[in-house]
């Protein structure tokens, strides 16, 4: 049942990303299904190796989609550690390298973003003998040009309906508490 949910959620997140729709949380929900390594209790069985690889690939895809959604929402500062951990385990994933470059650039660390490209290129050439994809090279060029299309405004957090005085019923004698809550929110 969990595998069916995982496949459905990853597919839903991929469709939303392809359509350019706002993130609906499907990728993060898919990641939440993992509680350790897949099929860890039967990993030595003959059938398990291929399925474990397939589930790990789905996990990586879900992670990349979730990071893309966070980047589209302007939450680049929150995902750098996650990207670094994923790259340490999967150094040949160009999409992760591109996401890391974009995060560094958006954090005002252009030199580090360019160094991340050089490191990605070196890894790809030394490990498997290929140059970075055209997509990764375009991102590198855009960072060099400081292309404004790379920037994104963070999504403004909306005030919870309960704290919005214009739509919630008035509370008598709680003005100071409500004001404090609004400031903290």
């Amino acid at each position: 049942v969990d595998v069916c949910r995982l496949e459905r959620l990853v597919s839903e997140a991929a469709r939303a990303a392809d359509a350019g729709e706002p993130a609906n949380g499907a990728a993060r929900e898919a990641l939440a299904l993992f509680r350790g390594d897949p099929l860890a209790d039967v990993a030595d069985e003959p059938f398990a190796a291929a399925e474990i690889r397939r589930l790990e690939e789905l996990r990586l895809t879900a992670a990349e989609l979730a990071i893309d959604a966070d980047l589209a929402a302007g939450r680049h500062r929150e995902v750098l550690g996650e990207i670094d951990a994923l790259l340490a385990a999967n150094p040949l994933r160009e999409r992760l390298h591109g996401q890391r470059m974009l995060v560094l650039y958006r954090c005002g660390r252009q030199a580090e973003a360019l160094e991340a490209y050089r490191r990605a290129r070196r890894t790809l050439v030394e490990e498997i003998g290929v140059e970075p994809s055209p997509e990764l090279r375009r991102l590198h060029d855009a960072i060099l040009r400081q292309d404004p299309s790379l920037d994104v405004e963070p999504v403004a957090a909306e005030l919870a309906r309960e704290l919005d005085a214009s739509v919630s019923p008035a509370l008598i004698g709680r003005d100071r508490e409500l004001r404090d809550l609004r400031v903290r929110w």
Side-chain angles (χ1 to χ4, degrees):
V1 173
D2 286 342
V3 172
C4 292
R5 286 185 61 209
L6 173 67
E7 291 169 337
R8 180 183 52 78
L9 289 167
V10 170
S11 177
E12 184 181 315
R15 274 194 309 276
D18 290 344
E21 296 173 4
N24 60 3
R28 290 282 175 207
E29 190 177 336
L31 289 173
L33 292 173
F34 285 92
R35 293 174 189 84
D37 295 329
L39 302 176
D41 53 340
V42 292
D44 295 332
E45 297 297 326
F47 72 88
E51 186 64 10
I52 289 171
R53 282 192 302 276
R54 186 178 81 82
L55 292 172
E56 285 296 338
E57 180 63 28
L58 280 170
R59 183 193 313 218
L60 278 170
T61 301
E64 289 171 341
L65 289 166
I67 291 168
D68 280 342
D70 288 337
L71 291 174
R75 293 187 297 269
H76 43 273
R77 296 185 192 287
E78 291 88 342
V79 296
L80 183 56
E82 181 181 4
I83 294 171
D84 286 343
L86 288 168
L87 266 175
N90 306 282
L92 301 179
R93 301 282 291 211
E94 286 189 63
R95 187 172 180 180
L96 289 172
H97 284 289
Q99 290 171 330
R100 184 169 192 275
M101 291 165 54
L102 185 57
V103 164
L104 290 169
Y105 178 77
R106 286 184 180 171
C107 288
R109 298 159 59 181
Q110 182 178 6
E112 290 178 63
L114 295 171
E115 177 58 31
Y117 174 80
R118 285 188 289 278
R119 207 172 302 131
R121 182 182 178 280
R122 185 172 46 249
T123 299
L124 291 169
V125 169
E126 289 174 2
E127 294 288 325
I128 56 176
V130 298
E131 289 291 328
S133 67
E135 182 180 325
L136 201 59
R137 290 194 306 262
R138 278 192 297 273
L139 177 59
H140 175 253
D141 292 342
I143 290 171
L144 283 171
R145 291 190 321 273
Q146 296 180 352
D147 191 335
S149 69
L150 296 178
D151 297 323
V152 66
E153 289 296 319
V155 175
E158 292 183 23
L159 188 61
R161 187 177 181 343
E162 294 82 11
L163 297 177
D164 189 355
S166 65
V167 295
S168 62
L171 291 177
I172 307 298
R174 305 275 177 144
D175 292 333
R176 186 177 55 78
E177 288 86 355
L178 285 173
R179 197 170 32 256
D180 289 347
L181 282 173
R182 286 190 192 99
V183 167
R184 284 189 174 84
W185 183 263

